[in-house]
Amino acid sequence: MPSKNRGKNRAHRRKHRKMDSGGSSGEGELELSADVGGSDTEVLISKTKEKAVKKQSRHQPSEPPQDGEGVWAITIQVFIPFLVAGLGMVGAGLVLDVVQHWPVFQKVSEVFILVPALLGLKGNLEMTLASRLSTHANLGHMDSPKEQWSMIIGNLSLIQCQAIVVGFLASLAAMVMGWVPEGKFNVDHGLLLCASSLVTASLASFILGLVMVAVIVLSRRCNVNPDNVATPIAASLGDLTTLALLSWISSLLFEAIGNDRWLAPLIIVGGIFLTPVWAWIASRNAYTREVLSSGWMPVICAMVISSVGGLILDFTVANFKGIAVFQPVINGVGGNLVAVQASRISTALHKYGRIGKLPPQYEPENFLWSAFCKPGGHARTARVLLLMVIPGHLIFSYTISCLQAGHTTLTPIFVVIYLIAALIQVFLLLFLAHVMVHWMWTRKIDPDNSAIPYLTALGDLLGTGLLAIAFKVLYVIGDKDSDVGD
């Protein structure tokens, strides 16, 4: 009898093991997906996905719960941080409007080329960090204090390494774009650009990284979707912090050129020696090892794209002084809104799909239709975000006007043309986000690590370019106030 019972028990266990590991959506397939291809994020979330896939196989909803948030819930959770972020961008615009007259910006105009590249680091690094951690938070991976601290240390080390490298490359790009057309070279100015960029990138990334971690942990505890609030708050502090640091540090180094020429080279050498230390810490962390090896292309390409926007800014500021106060605002709003959308789509794909294959409800039959016109899901979120553009920019523009900042008078024609430029920018960015995130997913590229840098850099380029066109159109049609170059 005991042997018969043991035989029945073994058969019973084999039957359940077969049920758990077999089938089209069972654990066996998920374990295989963790071993064959995919990023570290995909491996880390495989266990969480088992429960979601089992539940989905029983009910098979037409829209995932992540996309089922109500319009008002999305609006409130996004718009309040969006307004806070906008005030930070207004502050950055006010700072840029003042510092454009400082001696360092007048004598070393290549610093203007650094502005979009370094402000874009919040998209390259902090918003990407926010997107990664939001995905882990939504999947429950930050509920354990041990895993939480491991993620924090690994990710802060990673962004320090990336910030120093990208800051150095941004300074080289500024030198090339600023000096090659004019055929001049100044060693002191080159050292100033490099040292200013390194210190600004490192300090800003460390401060903002700590803020991002705190926001995501608190959001999780308050039962708020961190995808909706983390990236706007990164934008709110990112522009102001980075621009203030860049202006202050570059001004100090400019004053030191005559007496303390050793200061800039010392900063550069210190940054070079610290980079391998941060890289070593990140390489030993399971949550950042894969990003350290494969996450360079997006941030470097984004830096180059943002630097082209900086070249446009350097040219247009010389002709239209009023553009300075609006440049961080239009770029920040576009990058802020598209980062929210990209982060939400990426989290949903991680939660309900396997990297390399789209879930059935995410198959985009027509990109324009599925990006904006479908009844629910991410198209509904895109419509909500697009509707925030006009009221948001009106609030920010009239805040600038009430503070009597800049060289700008808000005439009706100026407001109309400015809002048209802003709407075009955000519409194009949301469409590109929809296409890019889904395309990256099908190519087994983790969009949490790659999509936001490209999108925010394109937001900087589109925003600066469209703003320059808007000011040129205003000047041509006769609105020759001091804000458009008269």
Side-chain angles (χ1 to χ4, degrees), residues 38-112:
S39 64
D40 282 351
T41 303
E42 188 68 17
V43 175
L44 291 166
I45 67 175
S46 61
K47 290 184 179 180
T48 305
K49 288 165 64 178
E50 291 172 10
K51 296 179 182 178
V53 172
K54 287 178 183 177
K55 194 180 293 184
Q56 187 184 22
S57 63
R58 289 196 300 268
H59 303 292
Q60 200 67 337
S62 59
E63 291 289 349
Q66 170 73 12
D67 298 337
E69 293 177 79
V71 171
W72 284 111
I74 297 171
T75 303
I76 292 170
Q77 288 187 21
V78 176
F79 193 67
I80 294 174
F82 171 69
L83 285 179
V84 175
L87 295 177
M89 297 165 203
V90 169
L94 299 180
V95 170
L96 185 59
D97 187 58
V98 171
V99 300
Q100 68 175 321
H101 304 292
W102 285 13
V104 64
F105 282 84
Q106 296 289 323
K107 301 292 185 181
V108 192
S109 63
E110 293 80 15
V111 178
F112 280 113

Side-chain angles (χ1 to χ4, degrees), residues 205-226:
S205 294
F206 180 71
I207 295 168
L208 295 171
L210 290 177
V211 172
M212 284 302 90
V213 168
V215 167
I216 290 167
V217 171
L218 288 174
S219 298
R220 181 69 177 169
R221 290 180 180 176
C222 297
N223 202 28
V224 174
N225 186 353

